[in-house]
Amino acid sequence: MAVELVIVVESVCRPGSTAMPALPMSSEEIAEDIAARIKSGEYAPGSQLPSYRQLMDIYSVSYGTIGSVMVRLRMMGLTVTSKGRGVFVPEKD
């Protein structure tokens, strides 16, 4: 007697679900996502981005990954860092 096994994989882990969560985004993908949020105005000029800890939780990645994202965003001219205060979207000229 043959038994057919069917496995269903969900990309989003819901409360009470046993499905595996989707793979974390790469630092490049996270930087692109935050850049899009800045360009759309979700993170307006002069506003502060979420903290590293918050971004780590949002994207389910490590401190090092978020550090790489912040370097990439700064190099793109999309953010400025104020030591001890956080990361901000620069005011428009």
Side-chain angles (χ1 to χ4, degrees):
M1 174 190 226
V3 176
E4 185 176 332
L5 178 63
V6 177
I7 300 174
V8 177
V9 178
E10 297 180 29
S11 63
V12 177
C13 191
R14 295 184 179 98
S17 171
T18 57
M20 295 290 291
L23 292 174
M25 297 168 72
S26 69
S27 61
E28 183 176 325
E29 292 169 324
I30 295 169
E32 289 171 3
D33 183 60
I34 294 172
R37 292 170 188 267
I38 291 169
K39 291 173 184 173
S40 76
E42 183 176 338
Y43 296 131
S47 68
Q48 184 174 5
L49 267 56
S51 69
Y52 274 48
R53 171 88 284 180
Q54 291 168 320
L55 291 170
M56 289 166 56
D57 291 342
I58 291 167
Y59 292 103
S60 299
V61 294
S62 70
Y63 183 89
T65 300
I66 295 301
S68 296
V69 168
M70 292 301 121
V71 167
R72 185 181 303 261
L73 292 171
R74 190 171 47 250
M75 290 176 60
M76 294 168 65
L78 296 174
T79 62
V80 292
T81 302
S82 177
K83 190 170 182 154
R85 292 188 60 225
V87 179
F88 296 84
V89 178
E91 296 285 345
K92 294 185 179 182
D93 295 330

